[in-house]
Structure formats: C-alpha cells, structure tokens
Amino acid sequence: MKLLIPMAFCCLTSTALAMPPRSEFLARAQVSAVTMSPDGESVAWLAEEGPRRAVWLRKLDGSAPRRAMAHTPARELSFTRDGRWLLLAAPTQVFALAVGGQGGSGLLTQLAERSEWRVDFSQDAAITLIAPSDRSAQRWQLQRFAVGGRTELLHSNSHRISGYALAANGQLRWLQRVEDRALVLYRVDAERSMHRVLRCGELLRCSPVFDNAGELILRSNSTDGDALGLARLVRVDGDGKIEPLARDPRGEADIDFVSVDATGRPRVAGYRSTVAQIAAIEPRDRRAVLYLQRAFPGSALRPQIAAARWLIEERQSARAFARWHLFDPKTLRISPLMDERSDASPMRLLKQPYAWTASDGMRLHGFLTVPAGETRLLPLVVVAHGGPWSHWQPTYNGLAQFIASRGAVVFEPNHRGSTGHGHAYMTAANGDYGNGRVQRDIDEGVRSVLEGGIGDPARVAIVGASFGGYAALLGVTFAPELYRAAVAFVPPPDFAWTLKWVLRNAESTNLDSVVPMADWLQMLKLDVRDEVHMARLRGQSPLANIHRLTRPVLIVAGGSDERVGIAGIIEYAARARLADKDVTVLIDHDAGHRQRDDVAREASLYLLEEMLHRHLKMPMPEPPAPHLRNYIDTMRAAKSELDPAEK
Amino acid sequence: MTLFRAEWSRMGTYALLLALAHLGGLIFLSRMVDLGQQNLAVHWSFGATYALVGGLLGFAQFATYARPNPWLSLIHRPRSELAIAMALLGAGWLVLVLIVPLPIALTALWQETLTARVVDTRHWLLALAAWQIAACAYCCGVFAALAPRRFAAIGIVLLFWLINARATGGSMLVVQCLVLTWSAWMVAALFKANRERPRKLAVVAIAMPLAMATYFAALVAFAAVELIWIAWGTHPNNGGPPPGGHNEVEKATSQDRMLAALASSEHPDAPLLAEQVKLSAPVSIGSSLSRLPQWFELANVSPMEFDDERSGVRYVFSHDDGRLHGYRIRDGAAVGTVPHQFQHPPLPFGRLPGMRDGDAALVARGRVYHFESESGQVSLRVDLGDEALVSMAPVGEAYVALSDRALYVFDARPFIATLDVVAPRARLPLPGKYGDLSNLDLIELVDGHLLVATFGRLAHDALGAPPYQTAQVLRSDGTVDDIHRRAMSYDFGWLYRYQAVWLSPGLYTLRERAKYLFAGPSLESTAPAPVPHAVWALAMVLGLLAVLLTLWRLHANNGLRRWPWIVASGLFGLPMLIALWLIELDSETRP
C-alpha cells in the first residue's frame, strides 16, 4: 500500500481535549428545514418544541422571529415562487400556509405512497406532483396543484414518470419515464408530441433539472465521456447532443446537490464525497462562491439562492449542529443568522480525506480522524458505513467523533460499492459482499493506515451499523489477526438472507427506487433469485462461520428492526452461546433499525466504550447512571465477561 | 272466548304500560346505537329480559288459579280442560305480543322508513324470536305456578337449551318453536284437576326435563364440591399446577411454553431452537373469533359495521343483499352501497399491511377483503377456500393467519405493492383439531418460523383431546420439520373429567345433540379421547342400580306402567330414577 498521508497528520487536525461526556453525543438538532423566500426577505424553519414541531418565520428587516404555526407534522418547508405561501410538506400531505398577509391557508394535496412533489417555478403559487393514479399503479400522473384549488393534469401514462422539466410558461417540455428498467428521456413539443432523446440504462441516472429555453440541464452519471461515471450536470439539446456543464473539479465526487434560484435555474453545485466544496455553475457566481469557500475553509456549505441574498447552511465535520448565515453576493458581506448550539463545545477533531490503493489497483477513498498523541501508539477503530449503498461524507459523524474523543484514530472507509464516487465505483463491488472484494477493501484500507504509521496494529477494532455491522462481524471473523474486537449495531449476520427477508416485507417498498428493489439489486449483481450467488454469500457469512470466531463481539439490535431481521441476530447469538463464544448481545425488543430513545443510544455508546476499554485499552468509561444500568441489564440477551457488572 | 276476554281485560292495562315502556326503551337506545348491529351479549341481555317478563307474567297469571278452590272452579267448566288452558295461554301469549314483538316491529319500521340504517329480514324476525323466548318462559312460569313445588322449576332446563343452542337464524326459530311446544306440553300435562300427577302419556313432557334438571343439579353439586376443594387448597388449580400437566403449560408464558415443548426433544436442532426461543419475544396467536357469522343469523357475533374515519362514513353489512351500505356518521344520511357482493357475511378484522386512513379489513369465513376508503372499493386479498380464518397478526415483518385447519405465513410486501389476492408463502396444517387448541406460539427463524401448538383447551372435560404439544419448523419454502411431540399429563382424574358422562351417558348425549341441533359449521370441533373403560363400567353400574331401584320403587305397579320407567332409567340412569321418584312421590303419601 502506498502511504498517502504525511506522518505529521495529527498536528494538522487535532488539539488535546478533555474527554467530553457521552451526553454531548446524544443531543439532537432542534432546528431543521431552514428555508429562504425567493425574494430573500424572509426565512422560515421548523423547530422542535418538546413533543411538538412548530413553524417559525422571520422577516429579515430586523423583525423578531414569530411562530407561524404551533404544531405541524411537516418535515420540509418551501416557499412558492411568489413568496406568499409557505408549503409545509409532511409524508402524507402538503399544506399551504399563507405568509403574505392573505387568508386561505389549507391543505394543498394529499401525498400517496411513491409520490414526489416540488415547487413549480413556472407559476406564482403551485406545486407539481408525480403520483400513481391508484394503489395498483397501473397509471402514473404528473399534475399541477395551484394554491387555491386549481388542478391541472400535465401528463398521464402507464409507464412510471420519473422526472420532468417545465418550460418557463409552465408547459411540459421534458419528460422521463421508466421503460424496461431504463430511464428514457423525451422532449415534448408544443403539440404535446413526445420525441425520444436519451435512454439511460441500468443504474444510470439522467434526471431533468431545468429547461433553459429548449435546452435541458440534466443530472447524469453516464459513463459516456466519463470513465468514472461521476454524477454531473450536462446540457442536452433536442437531438440528444450532450455537453458537459459542471463536474467535480477534483474528479472524484458525485454532485451531492444543486442550488437553484427562484426560477429553478441551477446556480451552484455541491460536492461532498471527499472534500466538501461548492462550485459556481455560471460565471456570474464564481466570485461569490470563491469568497464563500475562503470564508469557511473546511466547512460543508449549502447555499439557497434568493434575489436579494443567499442563505448559507454551514456544517463542520467536528460540530454536530449547523449554522446559518446570510450572504450578499454583491457586497460579499456575510452576517450570522442562526446558530442552534452556540454554547456547545466543539469536538475540534477534524476529519481528513484519506485515499488508498486496493490490491487490484483501484483507488479508494475514506476519511481519517486523528486525536492528539503519538499516532503510532493510538488505537485504531474502523467505522464501516451502512447501506452498503451509501458513503461517508466530510461532515459530522457522531459515532466517529465519539470514538475519536476517547483517543482512538477513526478510519471511515468508502469501500467499492459505496455511492458518491461515480457509477463505476458503485458497481465495482460486482455483488461480492461476502468475505470478498468489498471486505478486502476495508481490510486493505486499515493496513494502509497502519503502514502509514497511524495507529497501533495491536489495538485495532472494527465498528459499524447495519451493513457496517455486517462488515464488522466479517472482519472479526475472517481477519482476527487484524481486528481485536468488533462492535456491530443492528448487523445482518447473513447478508443474503437479510436481502431476501427485506424483499418480502413492507420495508422493501420504502427501499424501492424508480424500479423495484429486487430489480436494482439485480443490476448491482445481487440477484436474490440466483441461488448459487446467494449460497456463496451465505457460506461466507458471519452466521455460517461463527465457529471461526476467536475475538469478542458486541451486538446491539432492535427487536422490531424493519430492515434487518432480528431472527438472524438471535440465531447468531444462540449459536455463539452454544459454541461458548465471547459474544454479548443487547436486544431492545421495542427498537427498530434506528434507535431513537436517548437511554438506548447512551447505552450503545457506553457498551462501545466499555468494549474498547477492555480490548483496546482505551480510557475506562464513566460509570452508567442507575437508569442506564437498569436498561442494559434488562435488554442484555447473551451474557459474557464483557461487562464488569457481570462478574 | 269469554275466559280469553276476561284474561285479556285483566292484564290489558299492565300490558299496554309495559309495551309503551318497552317501546320507549327501544327508541331511546336506537337514538344512541344501531340496535340491529349489537353483538350476541346484548341480544342475550334482551332475551333474558323478555324471558323474565314472560316467566313472571305466566307465574302471576296462573298463581291466582293455582289454589285449590279457584282451580276447581276454573277447571270444572263445560269445556274441555285443554280448551280452558288454550284460552288462558292464548290470552297470555297475546299480551306478550303486545309487550314484546310489537314494540320491536315498530322500532324496526321506524329504522327502515326514516333512517339509513340497515334493516334486514332477520331484524324483522327478531320480533318473532323475542316473542318465542317470552312465550317459552311464559309457559315455564305457568308450569311453575301449577306444578308441585318439588319440580316446579324444571322449565329452566328448557331456557338453558335456548342459551346453549348453537343454531342460528331460521334454525334457531325452529329450536325456539320446539322449546315452546315442549313447554306448552308440560303445562298441558298438568292442566287437569289433580295437578300432582301428570297425564299418563304426557308424563314424558315432565320426566325428561326433570331428569335433565336432576342431572344438571348433580353437576352443579360436583362444581360446589370442587369449590370447596379449591378452598381447601389441594385442588390442582391451587398455587403451582402439577408439573408436566396441561395446566402448567397453559399458565406459562409463551416463552416457557415453547421451551417446555422442546425440552425433551432429541432432535439435533432442538438445543439451538431452545436458545433462540430464550432470546426471542415469542408471539402468541390468539383467536379473534369465537363463532363464525352465519347468513341471516338473528344476532351478530360482533357488530357487522365499521367506520371509515377518513370520510366519516359508517358501513353496515346487509344480509339481504350481501353488500355494505354506508351512511354518514355526522347526520345519518345514506351515501350508497358498495358494489361488491360478499359470499359470506364479513366482519371487521384488524388491519392489513399497507392500509391507509379509513381503510378496513373484513373477514368472511376464509376470505379477507380490503375496503379502500379512497376508491370505496372492496378487493379480495386472502382466499383460504373453505377454511374459516380466525386470526391474523404480524409476526416480525411477516403476517400470520390462522384458520380452523392450518396456519399460513404471508409476506407483507404484496399487500402493499398490489391490490391482488396474496398467496401465502407457507402453510402448516394444524397438528390437531382447532377446538382443542389452547395456545399457538411462534418465533421467526432465519429460514422460517418455529411453531409450538398446545392442545389442551378441553383436557379437563370429556370433549377434549388428550393434552399434548407439538414443535414444528415451517420453512420459508413451505416444508415442515417436525421437531417434537410431547404428551402432557392430565391434571384431573377420569372421575372428574368424565363426570358428565358416567353420571348419565344418555343425558350427556342428549345434551350435546340438543346443543348442536340444526347448527351450522362450528369452530368447536375437537378430537375427544376414547372414553376410558372405567367410565363405561361406572356408568353401567349406576345404570343398573337405577334399573334395580326403579324395579323396587315400582314393584307394586303393573307392567304397562312399570316398563317405560325401567327402560328410561336404563337409558338415562340415576337422574331418571330421581325424576320417577319426584313424579311418583304423591303415590306414597296417598292413603
């Protein structure tokens, strides 16, 4: 492995800190969905107020914020183009709240499953909605709902509608449909005739973003002209001719988001796979974007572009909560708007990108968080991500920060199969999610870090949640010489069975993309109907190889997990107990895939700390409060020597 | 006719007041609830009230005649005794028409003509059923007034028959008619100058209920002894039940039941399965239905209606057209009929995966339907053929349905992704009769489910199967691995379990036959264990004893009078002997 980072890495990233309490890592954001009106004169946000969520509104003329609605189920906020209506979107409905002094607030539309809505930038106050016409989804409709009650059918078809772009006059100009598992893009002429323009094959995306006077701005990850298949913006004319528009300047990240102005025109692209950066799409914004990058070095920025000013959301990898600023692109003046937790002590352990080359030559990406100390002597904890179709970003990761705050180097690998680094990167796993290529990527990344003089090879542990937990179990089962211990949160001990299991259940409908989950799994070379492949994955699973386990394992699971069947974890624990393995299992029978209860979350952190203290000689954790001890004792399913209280 | 008019004028005013009170009560209740959709318990309450009114009326009417002098002046008229009886009974029955069915019919007429509520033919027939109940009780009241005190109360046996009968709808009306006929026959048997001795042939009308009443009294006495036993503290139900018995398993948690079923297994997977049970939170599948709804049944197993809360509409099932009829909850205005015609009466039944606000699941025997509020349509989602679905519950992320013959596992996704009929992924035939099933516990495994069925619901009774547990693994591909079958021991000896049999096999058989007379399909079917030889031996000894005592009791009578009693005692045992004793008691006291 090639050493890719300097030995003095620690000095760039960290300063000595006292160990923050666990409670620091349990705090939740109380403010969300901060959004700016198109004229830039108002800002609205959602605030958690005890059991309720309220809508707040603030005029930027010096007025004090006011609570516009005391109780809402909404999770998203958007202003209409004219700024007179604030749209409150909950999972099942969109509500229009009058904020321009007029009356008429009310339900705009119900949202059925699989429906998608967005603000219609061609109208003063309207949204567009893609939804199946009924539950059987024999037909799909694209409709416009104007505030006030007028509804207009823009298109209806038996094929699923997956994208569209409207002309400035509100007419449907571009339409994308799902045909035979591919996305097919059509140009719609004035007579509403459709002309096929592009076909994006399996796992390729070509999402319409904006109609620029007959020319379409498209988000694409096609490998035509881009060997990595990075998600990027391109221009498409009516004949299907493609020209590049915006791509990661570093050539390693997908576009993470696109900021549009009040007409829907994309102005700024954001990248967050290795280094958080934003880039101007049009020359007129280059100066402003450059200024922002310099003003907030190392921060992940997300601008909202309004006529008078921009709203900037700032996130740091070492800080749990976002900050919001107002920015005048003409004067380049930045003024603070909101800081939810200005009193919170920052962790100050910055995350740095780290790249290594796998044994087959593929360049892989990840992140390192290095605390103060002699780097060679620090314990190293690998935190594998879930999914596996997701990726670590250069933003705050509470688990990584918690471990780093206890004095360990944290390595967050984005193994092949991860998203965020292009189509080729994601598909390179080739379905090898057992003790195979993907797991080797993680192991080789760890060895690369160790060879770089970071971390003590005798004090390495692997931690993860969901697929990351599976990777942790795989690592400790098949590479005990590398990992001293594993901590797995909600892990599938048999990935093949878990895929089959989830496909049978309600959760799979949440995981369906524009094509059903079974189809996109097949495109990712994970065909659950391929018995040979499934048998191979099963044969390589931690569940089938528990007899090889020689290292201690801690598993924390939810008994009502809708994504990872608890039966797999229970069988793993039962087999471990019969084989007298050092496996401790904590099952909260009321918890799902995501643990939302603060006591349970703190219990997870405490047990993780305890495990790392015991096996990696990290600091002894602060003793649990009685309620925490009681919870742990109640939930513990398989006992071991892990916990001193067991002795 | 004069006597009839005199009786009518004697009771008319009170009857009118009672009828008005009844009508007022029905109107008041109808303002609050839809009386046509009340469950069986409510119908029983109304039936008991009507029986009480009928019984009191009959007793009060005839008590005035039952003293010697009024009785003689009544009976010694230039008319036959039965004509006099019919005049009095006819007046009483007519009074009951005014008190009971007329207000019911008027209420039904109001509901039918002025509201959108469903009024079916069966609701009109409720008036007839109510009258028959009241008339039966009336006859029993009359009998109580006329009969010697020692067997005056035996009419209660006939009323118990009405309560226990499993017939429904028109069949139940026939059963009521039989009971009414029998009770009238009982009155006729004593409607003579000397009420101490029934008419010769009509003695059967009194002897059979009297024997049955004696039989029940003996069973009640056994129960009283058992209560004393419990109070004494040595009964198997006191404290910890005997180890290895069915009581121990029934009182255990789901987890312990499953572990008990696996404990003595030598199957190689048993230790691993037991460990998994210890770590799991087992689900116990209970029955949501005790009885199946029947076409044109007079009462309801449970209300045949549900509320679509999204649109504020209540849907009610009509037996007449097999469809759901809707009316607005807010103002009661009709909103139309759902086009789907059901093949069996449906009942609201929990929820199915993917249901939205206002949707409802309906079960109709082996079929589960999804009522979709938004479209107002009904879709068939589960079809188990001619099996009767009794429960459906989520187990983990899957759905498990229990019928009277098998357990089914369904995937949740097809319920959400489509509106088609969802085929079960796996089926496990019940390893026993549903009527014997006391518990069904299961956990999800990586490749299926572990199911532990406990059969012992009636192990304390002659009707139940010998208690046992089965542990089976139902694989995802539908195959079944039998892990273990564990026989449990009885907690009660045969003397206790078969008390209803050895006391009188004949009356026991008669009781069970009467219970299911004209009844439709039942969920109570069991696989009774063969009756032990000791029970038959004891029954035969008691029968023989009854015959010998009958012979001794009737040694002075001629053969024509003696032999029917001897045969009856042979068939029905000691209770019939006691009936004989009570009926013939006066012959001992006569000079």
Side-chain angles (χ1 to χ4, degrees):
Chain A
M1 297 297 159
K2 189 179 172 186
L3 184 63
L4 297 165
I5 60 170
M7 292 294 289
F9 187 83
C10 64
C11 306
L12 300 175
T13 58
S14 53
T15 54
L17 282 175
M19 198 167 79
R22 287 188 293 271
S23 57
E24 280 285 336
F25 300 89
L26 300 174
R28 299 169 197 265
Q30 301 297 305
V31 172
S32 62
V34 182
T35 187
M36 177 175 266
S37 61
D39 60 3
E41 300 299 337
S42 303
V43 173
W45 65 91
L46 295 171
E48 305 296 332
E49 297 177 351
R52 292 182 171 186
R53 187 177 301 142
V55 181
W56 284 77
L57 194 65
R58 179 179 168 187
K59 291 271 185 194
L60 297 176
D61 57 2
S63 308
R66 68 178 175 89
R67 191 188 284 112
M69 185 178 270
H71 190 195
T72 175
R75 294 180 188 171
E76 296 173 54
L77 297 179
S78 297
F79 281 93
T80 54
R81 189 183 72 175
D82 62 7
R84 301 180 73 231
W85 300 90
L86 185 59
L87 303 172
L88 282 54
T92 57
Q93 64 176 50
V94 179
F95 186 91
L97 179 67
V99 292
Q102 78 282 22
S105 296
L107 182 71
L108 185 53
T109 181
Q110 299 276 1
L111 297 177
E113 286 101 354
R114 295 180 279 179
S115 58
E116 295 171 33
W117 75 278
R118 65 187 193 213
V119 174
D120 184 350
F121 292 113
S122 69
Q123 310 291 313
D124 279 346
I127 65 165
T128 45
L129 176 73
I130 299 173
S133 58
D134 57 27
R135 184 188 294 265
S136 60
Q138 297 297 313
R139 291 196 73 78
W140 287 79
Q141 295 178 330
L142 171 61
Q143 291 175 285
R144 170 180 289 132
F145 291 86
V147 177
R150 191 169 50 83
T151 304
E152 183 182 354
L153 181 65
L154 298 174
H155 185 75
S156 176
N157 200 271
S158 59
H159 293 286
R160 178 168 182 164
I161 301 169
S162 53
Y164 59 92
L166 305 177
N169 63 5
Q171 286 195 334
L172 179 63
R173 181 68 63 78
W174 304 88
L175 186 83
Q176 186 195 57
R177 299 194 311 218
V178 183
E179 298 179 9
D180 298 329
R181 308 201 307 186
L183 302 178
V184 180
L185 182 70
Y186 293 90
R187 179 175 56 80
V188 185
D189 64 22
E191 285 74 41
R192 298 197 170 186
S193 298
M194 296 178 54
H195 309 276
R196 184 166 156 157
V197 178
L198 272 179
R199 181 180 185 279
C200 301
E202 294 188 344
L203 292 176
L204 293 173
R205 292 284 173 268
C206 43
S207 310
V209 176
F210 180 69
D211 174 69
N212 186 23
E215 178 187 70
L216 178 66
I217 295 178
L218 192 70
R219 184 170 168 160
S220 168
N221 65 347
S222 161
T223 47
D224 291 341
D226 187 330
L228 295 177
L230 290 175
R232 59 201 183 276
L233 291 184
V234 296
R235 286 196 197 92
V236 182
D237 65 17
D239 299 324
K241 188 180 167 194
I242 296 176
E243 285 181 21
L245 180 62
R247 183 177 185 267
D248 177 23
R250 295 169 64 93
E252 55 194 16
D254 288 337
I255 276 193
D256 187 66
F257 63 86
V258 176
S259 294
V260 302
D261 62 18
T263 64
R265 174 184 293 278
R267 299 274 293 272
V268 174
Y271 306 89
R272 287 188 181 177
S273 299
T274 53
V275 175
Q277 55 178 341
I278 53 175
I281 295 171
E282 296 184 358
R284 58 175 165 162
D285 295 320
R286 278 186 191 146
R287 177 169 160 265
V289 166
L290 197 61
Y291 184 83
L292 283 171
Q293 294 273 35
R294 285 180 183 157
F296 299 102
S299 291
L301 306 178
R302 186 179 187 120
Q304 288 184 39
I305 298 167
R309 52 176 72 89
W310 295 7
L311 174 69
I312 309 296
E313 179 194 87
E314 180 208 0
R315 292 185 180 274
Q316 294 179 355
S317 67
R319 197 172 186 280
F321 303 102
R323 280 191 285 234
W324 289 269
H325 310 272
L326 297 175
F327 173 59
D328 186 333
K330 290 178 184 153
T331 63
L332 302 180
R333 185 166 169 270
I334 298 171
S335 53
L337 176 69
M338 273 199 293
D339 186 352
E340 186 187 344
R341 291 287 299 268
S342 56
D343 58 331
S345 57
M347 302 308 155
R348 293 186 206 160
L349 293 169
L350 297 177
K351 184 189 280 191
Q352 293 293 321
Y354 179 82
W356 73 100
T357 305
S359 52
D360 64 352
M362 183 168 171
R363 186 81 166 156
L364 298 167
H365 301 277
F367 298 95
L368 275 178
T369 306
V370 184
E374 176 57 53
T375 53
R376 280 184 182 282
L377 303 178
L378 293 174
L380 172 63
V381 177
V382 186
V383 180
H385 66 69
W389 302 283
S390 65
H391 63 282
W392 291 125
Q393 293 194 339
T395 48
Y396 180 80
N397 175 349
L399 183 62
Q401 284 290 325
F402 174 73
I403 295 168
S405 73
R406 269 58 189 161
V409 175
V410 176
F411 173 46
E412 299 170 78
N414 282 332
H415 49 74
R416 75 189 70 192
S418 304
T419 54
H421 295 285
H423 179 267
Y425 198 96
M426 186 179 69
T427 55
N430 208 27
D432 196 2
Y433 288 96
N435 182 37
R437 186 60 258 177
V438 169
Q439 192 63 27
R440 277 203 298 281
D441 284 350
I442 298 172
D443 296 348
E444 287 168 4
V446 175
R447 292 194 176 97
S448 164
V449 172
L450 291 170
E451 286 166 7
I454 298 174
D456 179 353
R459 293 201 292 160
V460 180
I462 182 165
V463 174
S466 196
F467 181 84
Y470 170 72
L473 295 181
L474 279 174
V476 82
T477 303
F478 292 104
E481 74 288 354
L482 188 59
Y483 305 108
R484 296 283 158 161
V487 179
F489 300 101
V490 292
D494 180 342
F495 191 53
W497 172 73
T498 300
L499 290 177
K500 281 188 168 185
W501 182 85
V502 80
L503 275 171
R504 295 199 297 252
N505 296 328
E507 180 64 7
S508 63
T509 59
N510 297 326
L511 296 171
D512 285 346
S513 176
V514 288
V515 293
M517 182 185 175
D519 289 345
W520 64 252
L521 279 176
Q522 189 185 31
M523 296 175 202
L524 285 162
K525 304 287 188 286
L526 268 174
D527 185 356
V528 294
R529 289 155 292 199
D530 182 347
E531 291 298 335
V532 174
H533 189 190
M534 290 297 109
R536 184 161 59 86
L537 277 181
R538 181 163 291 177
Q540 295 175 354
S541 71
L543 183 63
N545 291 279
I546 197 157
H547 58 279
R548 303 175 66 145
L549 185 68
T550 55
R551 297 295 190 189
V553 169
L554 167 67
I555 293 177
V556 179
S560 305
D561 195 324
E562 66 286 359
R563 196 164 289 185
V564 172
I566 191 65
I569 293 165
I570 284 175
E571 183 171 332
Y572 185 85
R575 287 185 183 279
R577 183 182 280 187
L578 290 176
D580 202 25
K581 302 292 184 183
D582 188 358
V583 173
T584 298
V585 179
L586 197 82
I587 299 176
D588 184 340
H589 283 286
D590 296 328
H593 197 59
R594 287 183 184 278
Q595 182 54 274
R596 300 184 192 282
D597 179 70
D598 281 347
V599 175
R601 291 168 65 213
E602 187 179 358
S604 297
L605 293 184
Y606 166 72
L607 291 170
L608 169 66
E609 258 186 306
E610 177 63 33
M611 189 85 170
L612 297 178
H613 161 65
R614 183 169 295 274
H615 299 286
L616 263 55
K617 299 182 179 62
M618 287 171 61
M620 181 179 286
E622 181 189 348
H627 70 282
L628 194 59
R629 163 58 56 201
N630 183 48
Y631 173 83
I632 292 169
D633 290 344
T634 307
M635 300 299 166
R636 189 187 304 281
K639 302 185 179 184
S640 78
E641 294 298 304
L642 171 71
D643 196 320
E646 293 297 326
K647 289 188 173 178
Chain B
M1 189 50 102
T2 311
L3 196 56
F4 177 85
R5 283 203 197 109
E7 285 300 298
W8 174 253
S9 60
R10 187 158 74 104
M11 298 182 291
T13 308
Y14 299 110
L16 194 63
L17 289 174
L18 273 175
L20 288 173
H22 185 202
L23 183 63
L26 290 177
I27 289 173
F28 174 71
L29 290 172
S30 295
R31 285 282 181 198
M32 295 194 293
V33 295
D34 184 352
L35 283 175
Q37 300 305 322
Q38 299 308 302
N39 61 26
L40 206 50
V42 174
H43 282 79
W44 273 344
S45 305
F46 275 92
T49 307
Y50 298 145
L52 185 67
V53 168
L56 289 175
L57 178 71
F59 188 85
Q61 184 188 356
F62 278 75
T64 54
Y65 297 112
R67 284 168 291 153
N69 287 341
W71 182 250
L72 286 176
S73 62
L74 175 72
I75 213 81
H76 290 125
R77 288 171 188 249
R79 305 297 295 243
S80 73
E81 291 165 345
L82 287 180
I84 297 169
M86 281 312 298
L88 296 180
L89 291 178
W93 285 340
L94 190 64
V95 164
L96 286 178
V97 168
L98 182 65
I99 296 173
V100 177
L102 194 61
I104 295 175
L106 287 173
T107 308
L109 185 68
W110 164 46
Q111 298 288 292
E112 169 79 55
T113 52
L114 297 177
T115 72
R117 286 175 175 171
V118 170
V119 180
D120 285 335
T121 308
R122 68 192 187 111
H123 295 120
W124 291 103
L125 290 175
L126 271 176
L128 174 60
W131 179 80
Q132 293 200 131
I133 290 169
C136 291
Y138 169 80
C139 288
C140 295
V142 171
F143 184 83
L146 299 182
R149 283 186 187 173
R150 58 183 183 275
F151 55 82
I154 61 169
I156 289 175
V157 169
L158 295 174
L159 299 180
F160 276 152
W161 185 5
L162 291 181
I163 293 171
N164 272 308
R166 294 295 191 263
T168 58
S171 303
M172 189 60 200
L173 290 176
V174 174
V175 171
Q176 287 178 349
C177 198
L178 280 178
V179 174
L180 178 58
T181 306
W182 194 291
S183 56
W185 190 20
M186 282 167 54
V187 172
L190 284 187
F191 208 93
K192 52 198 269 295
N194 178 10
R195 301 200 310 271
E196 286 294 321
R197 296 181 65 83
R199 294 173 195 281
K200 278 184 184 170
L201 289 177
V203 74
V204 179
I206 297 173
M208 282 310 299
L210 183 51
M212 192 61 89
T214 311
Y215 173 77
F216 282 139
L219 293 179
V220 169
F222 291 156
V225 170
E226 190 180 4
L227 286 176
I228 294 168
W229 187 9
I230 291 169
W232 198 258
T234 56
H235 190 278
N237 283 335
N238 286 114
H246 55 87
N247 265 343
E248 180 189 52
V249 170
E250 280 173 28
K251 288 180 177 178
T253 62
S254 298
Q255 200 166 44
D256 288 342
R257 269 196 299 271
M258 298 189 81
L259 291 173
L262 293 166
S264 55
S265 172
E266 293 179 354
H267 193 283
D269 290 346
L272 178 62
L273 291 170
E275 285 300 323
Q276 288 174 265
V277 170
K278 287 176 195 167
L279 297 170
S280 300
V283 174
S284 194
I285 304 293
S287 171
S288 304
L289 292 178
S290 55
R291 299 184 186 194
L292 298 173
Q294 309 286 342
W295 274 118
F296 306 113
E297 62 187 357
L298 300 173
N300 307 295
V301 174
S302 60
M304 310 193 92
E305 63 183 17
F306 64 90
D307 291 350
D308 172 358
E309 288 173 0
R310 190 190 67 89
S311 54
V313 173
R314 177 167 297 158
Y315 287 94
V316 184
F317 178 72
S318 166
H319 281 248
D320 284 354
D321 63 7
R323 292 189 166 91
L324 293 167
H325 296 248
Y327 65 85
R328 277 203 303 264
I329 298 168
R330 178 167 46 86
D331 57 10
V335 297
T337 304
V338 178
H340 182 85
Q341 192 167 28
F342 291 87
Q343 290 189 346
H344 296 286
L347 284 177
F349 194 71
R351 293 185 70 76
L352 293 172
M355 281 192 161
R356 300 174 188 166
D357 287 348
D359 289 6
L362 303 164
V363 62
R365 204 169 293 261
R367 296 179 164 197
V368 181
Y369 298 89
H370 178 172
F371 169 78
E372 205 178 22
S373 168
E374 200 171 312
S375 65
Q377 300 293 315
V378 170
S379 310
L380 177 63
R381 307 309 312 274
V382 173
D383 188 353
L384 303 182
D386 60 348
E387 296 180 23
L389 193 144
V390 295
S391 184
M392 196 160 181
V395 176
E397 296 296 310
Y399 267 71
V400 168
L402 178 65
S403 81
D404 58 342
R405 277 180 256 165
L407 183 132
Y408 296 85
V409 177
F410 290 88
D411 295 336
R413 182 183 166 102
F415 283 101
I416 299 166
T418 71
L419 275 176
D420 301 332
V421 177
V422 179
R425 178 155 49 81
R427 177 181 190 270
L428 174 75
L430 276 184
K433 287 280 190 181
Y434 177 76
D436 287 316
L437 184 68
S438 47
N439 297 95
L440 186 62
D441 305 294
L442 66 161
I443 62 166
E444 188 178 17
L445 303 174
V446 165
D447 187 30
H449 292 82
L450 169 67
L451 297 105
V452 169
T454 305
F455 293 90
R457 194 173 70 86
L458 294 175
H460 62 281
D461 189 279
L463 290 169
Y468 64 98
Q469 284 189 296
T470 59
Q472 296 168 295
V473 172
L474 177 60
R475 303 281 175 204
S476 301
D477 62 4
T479 57
V480 177
D481 286 353
D482 291 322
I483 304 298
H484 193 43
R485 181 186 170 104
R486 170 191 175 236
M488 294 183 286
S489 55
Y490 284 109
D491 290 322
F492 302 93
W494 62 265
L495 207 60
Y496 176 93
R497 297 200 311 273
Y498 291 93
Q499 54 184 277
V501 178
W502 56 253
L503 187 60
S504 171
L507 288 175
Y508 174 76
T509 307
L510 195 65
R511 183 187 80 177
E512 293 303 311
R513 290 286 164 84
K515 186 175 174 182
Y516 291 102
L517 186 68
F518 307 136
S522 164
L523 295 174
E524 297 172 327
S525 166
T526 58
V531 178
H533 296 311
V535 174
W536 287 126
L538 179 58
M540 284 175 69
V541 168
L542 293 176
L544 193 62
L545 182 66
V547 168
L548 291 174
L549 287 172
T550 305
L551 276 171
W552 173 73
R553 174 69 180 80
L554 298 176
H555 67 279
N557 295 81
N558 61 29
L560 205 61
R561 182 172 172 76
R562 195 168 53 177
W563 284 110
W565 280 114
I566 292 167
V567 171
S569 293
L571 284 173
F572 301 113
L574 290 174
M576 189 53 84
L577 172 71
I578 295 169
L580 163 67
W581 219 289
L582 291 172
I583 289 172
E584 296 288 330
L585 194 62
D586 67 307
S587 63
E588 290 177 354
T589 56
R590 272 180 301 174

